[in-house]
Structures are given as C-alpha cells and as structure tokens.
C-alpha cells in the first residue's frame, strides 16, 4: 500500500510528497499561508527567517481542548492523508484568514502564521505559539499509568496498546482572538454576539473541524475503523479526557483540583469519556472519578455547539411544535412556533431521529448512547453546513435547540415534488417560463455551493422547497412570483481536489460512478451536475428518466447504457438531456 502513496494533491498547484516530509518533528516542513511552501533545513532561508526558536508547546497553554482518536494501531498513510485533508480544507484558509485579519499590518502577520508538517503530524504556529497540534497518541502519557475510558457501551479491545491520534487546540486569550470563523462570512462580524466566549468559540470550531476531517479520512480510506456512521464499531472510538486529569498528567504540580488528593503520582490515571457517552449526557453532567463532576461543555464543547454564536442556540421552551410537515429517512419535520421576545413566528422544526445504524438499516435498534451520538452527528453535519451559508436560494437555518437537538428553519409552503403532484392532478405541466425560473434558481444555489467546494449530494425535487409558485390553473403573467430554495444538507460535504469515496444520496439521482461505488473514480462536484440533469428531466416530463434504480444499477454493472423511459421529442428540452445522460462528466 505504502508504495502507491507517492503524493497527495494539496491544491491545484501543490502536491504533498509524504516520503519527503521530515521524519523528525524538530526539523519540520514549513508551509506558509498563501504562498508556495518552503522545504525547511537548518540553513534554508525559509526556516531561519521564520523560526527564532521552537514554538511554545501547546500542552503548556493554560487552556486547551483535547481529543483522542483511539485505534488498535495507526493505519499506514493516515497522517499524510490527514495533513493533505487539513491543508485542502476551508479550515486552513479560514484559520489563517481569521488570525491574519487583525489590526496589525498584514505583511507582519503573514510571518506570524505558518504550518509545520512532519511525517506523522502537523501543527499551526501563530506568534511563536502552537495553537493547533495533530500528532500520534503517545501512550501511556508521561506521568500516567494508563487510561480509563468512561462509556456505558463495550469499548475497543486491548486498551493498553491503544494508538491513534491526538488533537490539541489552544484557547487563546480573549485579547488575542481576532475573529470567530463560524459566523457566516457574508455577514458582518458582530462582536457582541460572540463576545461572551470568543476564544472558546474559535477553539471549538477548530476542534470540530479537525475531528470531522479525521473522520472523513477514516471513512474514505479505512472503512473498518470508521466509527461515525458505523455505530457498532468496536475497533475505534473518539474520546476527550477530563481536563484536570490531562493537566495533572502533563504537570503533576498543577493537580490542585483532585478531589481525593491522595493518589500517588505513579497511580495517576487519565480518565476520558467517549463522545457518544458525552452526547447522551450532554444535558446533565459527567463525572471523573478523580476530579468529580464536569460539564460536557468543558470536556467536549463541540457537542453543545459552543462554536455557534449564543443567539443561534435557541432555548427549547421557545419552540412549540405544531403539525408534522414531512418525514425523510432520518428526520421528521414539523411546523412550529418560535417565540422571540414578544413576537411569535412560524418556522419549520427538523427533528433528527435515526433509530438504526445509518449505513445499515437491517441492524438492531441503537442503544441510547449510540442513538444520541447519531442524532448529534446528523444534526452537526447539517447545522454546521447550513450555518455558514447565506444565499437567497438556500434554506436558512435560524438556530438549533439542544435538548433535544432540533434544527429551526425558515418555513416553506411545500416541496417541489408536492407541487409536481398538484400539477399532475390537474393534468397540467410547468410553463417554459416557470421551468426556466425554477431551474435557474436551483442552478444559482448549486453554483454558490460549488464556489465553496461544497458537494450537495442529494439534489432532488423533494429537497427543493417552494415559497412562491404559479398555481396549476394560472396562466403565466408577469406578476407570478417564483421562489424556490435548496434544503436538506444532511449529507453535503466540503470536498478536496481528491473528491470523496463514500456513497450517499438518493439512487435515482446518483451518477454511475457513485451508484457503482467505483473505487477508481472518486465522487466530485460533478455528482450534483448529474443530479441537476435528473431534476431537469423530472420537471420537464414529471417522471424519472430510467425507472427503478435497481434496474439502472444492474444495467450499469453489465456496462449497458440505461434506457430513457420517455423518448426525446415527447417533451421540449429533452434533447440536451439525451446528450448528457449516464455520465456526469458533461457540465
Ligand atoms: N423548511 C421546511 N419547510 C416546509 N417543509 C419542509 C421544510 N423542511 C423540510 N420540509 C418537508 O419535510 C420533508 C423531509 O425533510 P428533509 O428532506 O429535510 O428530511 P430528510 O430526513 O433529511 O429527508 P431525506 O430522506 O430525503 O434525506 C421535505 O421533503 C419537505 O416536504
């Protein structure tokens, strides 16, 4: 396997060659933001100019967030793949942008931010301080006699020999936190809305992003360890340590808060909590046997969305559920009433309720711990994706409630699949102008997502919501308004130039490379282009192009081109579709 890992694409111009990365962390490869990387060596200009001395280690910071990915062994190629993912992601650009957006002149700040990478890890250095560190898990930790993982479910085997990765993020002092990247970039930064905990907000955002990228690498390359969607996986787990245990293990003199205070240094343990356990107890508290009761927000702030501005965290009592509007695979959507001060407004409320393993619906019902983890995970992907988006044809997330986790969304009249049914009942079709306006608005939304490297992955009429649309009996008149928005970001993903390998979406709208789960062809933004073609066909003809997805799958497996159900010529506009069908390479 190793010999094929020649290089990873960092971006359109740069590649990362793992075998050229320095083995030794003390002499790392320096990657400068927004400029070509310099290979560091003792005499190289890049290094001597940049580094006055080693950066202050992150574990000496007064406040840090820590996450462990625990595995029985670290798979080959894991770190180079993760480094490439991090460097490719919005994480790199957004952290850099937020650190460099301060009042100091930008040339000065540019020299203050850089990445350091070596064969098995990387760190982000700002102002001679390490503010993010991704490195192999050193086990057992110095001054500890091992770890005890707290969970109510069975845990990975052979805990004494655990390996994996640790992520550490510094919570910078308030006066050094320049900007909070989670706020949608198109909106002006409202310093008040985040001021109560700006630094934790930013550190949580970084922790959540890196955790997410590590999960993507596991899912895409080491499926057997993937734990996010395979909830019964006993080989791996994500944990966060008790911060007091962590501090005591790194510097035993700091263990002032120990409850019993009698443990000898040699007997000190590092207690840590699995993320599913934290998510189940996120409303209450969790307890460290050595340090007593802890808030989940202290241990795993991402699980209580501490990276969101406080205004986006809506108290549960302010949302009243009314009738059910729709139901999908993992969610129920209700109409709701949101109280803001003395005002009330109608909203849609999405309650995520996966009761089984999302990848295998044949598996038994999930245990409560795994169910709350699945709910958190589904909500996290969708809410965090939507929170950063701001576009007239993209559904707006108004906020979330935490206990239970629900997404509060702007309320639509119906979805486009229901509009089609209403037209069909009246034996009417969409006028050309209606089609044109609807398709243009959907294309606008897709172009916005793609400009941010977001693959939507589930474009279909049921996920296009309708506010204004001509009634079936209406003739087109210039006053007819059309407003549609794209909704349901549960499986959307920010993708890197390598694309992604995992299969997700609605079969009738998926291109061959995804339907066949091709190992050779990663899914790229073209997946949405193909689905857009399918939606276009559906809106023209009010039918699916190829009938059953099972039939399409079997035809593709026999290298046959699926037959279109409706022949070209029956509906205006299908000519273009005929050219593009079966391959998503046409854009
Ligand atoms: N904001 C909204 N306003 C009105 N109705 C909505 C809204 N959001 C969702 N719905 C309705 O609920 C249905 C299911 O919602 P959604 O697609 O978000 O759920 P899901 O479980 O993610 O679905 P899927 O199984 O397609 O992934 C939609 O098809 C639509 O009819």
């Amino acid at each position: 396997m190793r010999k094929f890992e020649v290089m990873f694409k960092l971006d359109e111009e740069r590649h990362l060659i793992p075998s050229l990365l320095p083995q030794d962390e003390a002499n790392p490869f320096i990657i400068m933001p927004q400029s070509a990387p310099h290979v560091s060596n003792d005499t190289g200009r890049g290094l001597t100019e940049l580094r006055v001395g080693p950066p202050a280690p992150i574990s000496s910071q007064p406040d840090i967030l820590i996450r462990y990915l625990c595995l029985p062994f670290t798979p080959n190629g894991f770190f180079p793949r993760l480094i490439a993912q991090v460097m490719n992601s919005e994480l790199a650009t957004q952290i850099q942008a937020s650190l460099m957006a301060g009042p100091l002149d930008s040339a000065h700040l540019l020299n203050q931010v850089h990445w350091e990478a070596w064969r098995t890890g990387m760190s982000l250095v700002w102002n001679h301080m390490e503010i993010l560190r991704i490195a192999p898990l050193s086990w057992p930790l110095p001054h500890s006699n091992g770890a005890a993982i707290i969970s109510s479910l069975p845990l990975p085997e052979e805990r004494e020999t655990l390996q994996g990765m640790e992520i550490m993020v510094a919570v910078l002092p308030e006066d050094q936190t320049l900007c909070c990247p989670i706020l949608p970039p198109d909106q002006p930064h409202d310093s008040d809305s985040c001021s109560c905990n700006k630094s934790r907000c930013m550190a949580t955002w970084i922790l959540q992003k890196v955790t997410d990228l590590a999960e993507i690498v596991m899912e895409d390359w080491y499926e057997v360890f993937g734990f996010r969607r395979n909830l019964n996986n006993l080989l791996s787990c994500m944990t966060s340590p008790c911060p007091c245990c962590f501090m005591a293990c790194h510097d035993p003199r700091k263990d002032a808060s120990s409850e019993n205070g009698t443990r000898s240094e040699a007997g000190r343990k590092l207690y840590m909590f699995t993320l599913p356990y934290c998510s189940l107890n996120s409303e209450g508290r969790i307890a460290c046997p050595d340090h007593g009761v802890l808030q989940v927000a202290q241990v795993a702030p991402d699980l209580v969305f501490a990276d969101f501005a406080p205004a986006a965290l809506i108290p549960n009592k302010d949302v009243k559920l009314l009738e059910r509007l729709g139901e999908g695979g993992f969610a129920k959507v209700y109409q709701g009433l949101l109280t803001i001060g003395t005002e009330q407004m109608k909203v849609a409320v999405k309650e995520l309720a996966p009761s089984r393993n999302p990848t295998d619906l044949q598996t038994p019902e999930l245990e409560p711990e795994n169910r709350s983890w699945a709910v958190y995970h589904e909500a996290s992907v969708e809410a965090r994706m939507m929170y950063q988006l701001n576009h007239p044809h993209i559904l707006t997330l108004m906020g979330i409630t935490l206990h239970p986790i629900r997404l509060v969304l702007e309320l639509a009249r119906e979805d486009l699949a229901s509009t089609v049914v209403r037209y069909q009942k009246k034996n009417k079709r969409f006028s050309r102008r209606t089609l044109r306006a609807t398709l243009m608005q959907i294309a606008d939304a897709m172009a916005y997502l793609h400009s941010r490297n977001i693959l939507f992955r589930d474009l279909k009429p049921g996920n296009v919501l309708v506010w204004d649309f001509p009634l079936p009996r209406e003739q087109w008149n210039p006053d007819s308004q059309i407003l549609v928005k794209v909704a349901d970001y549960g499986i959307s993903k920010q993708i890197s130039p390598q694309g992604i390998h995992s299969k997700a979406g609605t079969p009738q709208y998926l291109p061959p490379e995804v339907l066949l789960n091709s190992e050779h062809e990663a899914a790229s933004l073209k997946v949405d282009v193909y689905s857009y073609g399918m939606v276009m066909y559906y809106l023209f003809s009010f039918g699916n192009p190829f009938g059953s997805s099972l039939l399409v799958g079997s035809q593709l497996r026999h290298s046959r081109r699926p037959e279109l159900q409706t022949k070209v010529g029956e509906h205006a506009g299908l000519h273009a579709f005929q050219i593009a069908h079966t391959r998503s390479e046409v854009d």
Side-chain angles (χ1 to χ4, degrees):
M1 184 70 177
R2 178 95 197 133
K3 69 180 175 191
F4 295 111
E5 290 167 352
V6 179
M7 63 184 179
F8 300 105
K9 207 168 175 182
L10 278 182
D11 54 37
E12 287 311 320
E13 286 162 13
R14 299 185 295 172
H15 288 82
L16 177 81
I17 303 173
S19 55
L20 293 185
L21 280 176
Q23 187 80 47
D24 183 8
E25 182 188 341
N27 183 27
F29 178 76
I30 308 288
I31 305 173
M32 291 291 289
Q34 294 169 351
S35 71
H38 305 273
V39 178
S40 67
N41 55 49
D42 284 338
T43 53
R45 273 169 49 81
L47 183 68
T48 44
E49 273 178 14
L50 270 167
R51 301 186 75 200
V52 186
I58 200 164
S59 53
S60 65
Q61 304 270 337
D63 193 6
I64 52 177
L65 305 180
I66 309 125
R67 173 105 346 131
Y68 298 128
L69 164 56
C70 306
L71 301 166
F73 64 91
T74 311
N76 228 349
F78 175 76
F79 280 101
R81 286 188 167 122
L82 184 62
I83 293 168
Q85 276 278 357
V86 170
M87 292 312 300
N88 258 318
S89 69
E90 52 159 5
L91 173 81
T93 42
Q94 288 201 18
I95 299 184
Q96 285 156 198
S98 65
L99 291 174
M100 287 157 56
L104 296 174
D105 76 276
S106 57
H108 173 73
L109 277 160
L110 192 68
N111 279 339
Q112 303 292 319
V113 187
H114 69 270
W115 293 89
E116 299 191 351
W118 56 99
R119 200 93 46 101
T120 54
M122 68 190 304
S123 69
L124 177 65
V125 179
W126 182 63
N127 229 351
H128 307 295
M129 271 187 305
E130 233 186 339
I131 65 165
L132 164 66
R133 179 181 171 79
I134 301 170
L137 193 53
S138 45
W139 209 266
L141 287 173
H143 307 292
S144 82
N145 74 349
I149 306 182
I150 299 178
S151 168
S152 48
L153 288 175
L155 286 162
E157 295 300 321
E158 300 176 48
R159 272 180 278 160
E160 300 73 37
T161 57
L162 280 180
Q163 293 188 25
M165 172 194 69
E166 65 183 5
I167 307 166
M168 295 186 194
V169 188
V171 180
L172 292 173
E174 278 293 302
D175 61 344
Q176 290 183 28
T177 304
L178 301 169
C179 142
C180 175
I182 185 78
L183 290 172
D186 307 346
Q187 286 175 14
H189 181 245
D190 172 4
S191 53
D192 286 347
S193 67
C194 234
S195 59
C196 55
N197 225 331
K198 221 163 48 162
S199 303
R200 282 222 139 217
C201 178
M202 176 153 169
T204 306
W205 180 80
I206 297 172
L207 179 73
Q208 192 279 325
K209 280 278 164 206
V210 181
T211 304
D212 207 38
L213 292 173
E215 288 177 345
I216 289 172
V217 171
M218 299 303 277
E219 233 170 59
D220 276 5
W221 295 97
Y222 314 101
E223 213 181 333
V224 63
F225 291 134
F227 45 86
R228 187 167 60 167
R229 295 184 76 80
N230 178 7
L231 295 166
N232 297 324
N233 191 343
L234 295 183
L235 289 172
S236 60
C237 67
M238 277 276 185
T239 66
S240 273
C242 157
C244 308
C245 287
F246 179 86
M247 224 191 288
C249 289
H250 277 80
D251 183 354
R253 288 159 304 167
K254 286 191 190 162
D255 193 18
S257 58
S258 175
E259 277 208 334
N260 53 31
T262 53
R263 263 175 190 272
S264 71
E265 266 177 40
R268 200 177 300 282
K269 260 196 167 20
L270 178 84
Y271 285 98
M272 50 192 187
F273 307 88
T274 63
L275 294 198
Y277 181 80
C278 292
S279 72
L280 181 65
N281 294 289
S282 67
E283 193 171 6
R285 280 141 185 254
I286 51 180
C288 164
D290 268 6
H291 298 97
V293 170
L294 298 160
Q295 302 274 1
V296 169
Q298 288 172 272
V299 176
D302 42 340
L303 297 194
V304 290
F305 293 86
D307 47 339
F308 277 44
L313 301 177
I314 300 174
N316 196 29
K317 65 174 177 38
D318 293 352
V319 181
K320 187 173 166 209
L321 294 197
L322 304 172
E323 80 265 25
R324 192 188 292 182
L325 293 172
E327 186 167 353
F330 302 115
K332 293 183 177 116
V333 180
Y334 298 87
Q335 191 178 133
L337 266 187
L338 170 66
T339 307
I340 308 170
T342 53
E343 308 267 302
Q344 284 201 317
M345 69 186 292
K346 283 188 178 169
V347 289
V349 183
K350 184 163 178 175
E351 187 167 81
L352 295 136
S355 58
R356 290 173 200 278
N357 213 338
T359 47
D360 185 0
L361 297 176
Q362 306 302 318
T363 50
E365 288 237 334
L366 294 170
E367 307 274 346
E369 193 169 293
N370 274 341
R371 190 174 325 130
S372 66
W373 173 237
V375 168
Y376 163 74
H377 177 254
E378 298 289 321
S380 161
V381 171
E382 189 157 0
R384 289 193 163 100
M385 181 60 76
M386 291 185 81
Y387 195 45
Q388 50 172 323
L389 305 175
N390 184 13
H391 187 272
H393 300 297
I394 286 191
L395 181 70
T396 304
L397 173 77
M398 302 173 72
I400 52 172
T401 66
L402 289 186
H403 312 296
I405 299 183
R406 290 178 178 140
L407 311 191
V408 181
L409 307 158
E410 53 178 341
L411 179 68
R413 206 172 72 195
E414 63 183 4
D415 62 55
L416 200 52
S418 315
T419 311
V420 167
V421 171
R422 283 196 300 109
Y423 269 68
Q424 277 175 321
K425 279 189 185 153
K426 300 273 175 201
N427 211 12
K428 293 273 182 193
R429 292 201 174 269
F430 294 167
S431 73
R432 293 180 75 144
R433 285 185 182 201
T434 303
L435 275 170
R436 194 184 141 94
T438 308
L439 286 167
M440 285 305 288
Q441 293 185 10
I442 300 172
D444 251 11
M446 286 296 131
Y448 172 79
L449 294 176
H450 287 193
S451 70
R452 303 169 140 247
N453 280 328
I454 294 168
L455 172 63
F456 179 64
R457 290 221 279 192
D458 205 8
L459 187 57
K460 59 181 180 182
N463 285 339
V464 177
L465 298 181
V466 174
W467 271 257
D468 291 316
F469 212 83
L471 294 171
R473 61 177 178 282
E474 267 180 9
Q475 290 300 311
W476 172 268
N477 72 65
D479 298 330
S480 295
Q481 296 290 322
I482 293 180
L483 179 60
V484 299
K485 301 189 186 191
V486 176
D488 194 1
Y489 293 81
I491 53 170
S492 305
K493 267 194 178 168
Q494 185 102 32
I495 63 166
S496 59
Q498 295 98 301
I500 45 173
H501 284 273
S502 53
K503 181 179 167 181
T506 306
Q508 293 97 308
Y509 295 86
L510 287 178
E513 69 269 22
V514 182
L515 262 185
L516 294 176
N517 216 359
S518 167
E519 277 181 16
H520 312 292
E521 206 168 351
S524 68
L525 296 175
K526 293 172 194 168
V527 169
D528 287 339
V529 178
Y530 184 91
S531 308
Y532 183 82
M534 294 292 149
V535 171
M536 198 171 168
Y537 185 100
Y538 185 82
L539 299 186
F540 273 111
S541 70
F542 286 0
N544 283 322
F546 307 121
S548 110
S549 54
L550 283 177
L551 188 70
V552 174
S554 90
Q555 284 173 322
L556 287 172
R557 267 185 289 281
H558 292 98
S559 306
R560 273 194 242 121
R561 189 183 174 99
E563 286 287 312
L564 279 177
Q565 285 203 317
T566 312
K567 296 292 175 223
V568 175
E570 285 179 31
H571 301 291
L574 288 181
H575 294 280
F577 187 82
Q578 174 80 354
I579 299 164
H581 95 280
T582 70
R583 295 294 299 175
S584 57
E585 278 156 17
V586 184
D587 57 25

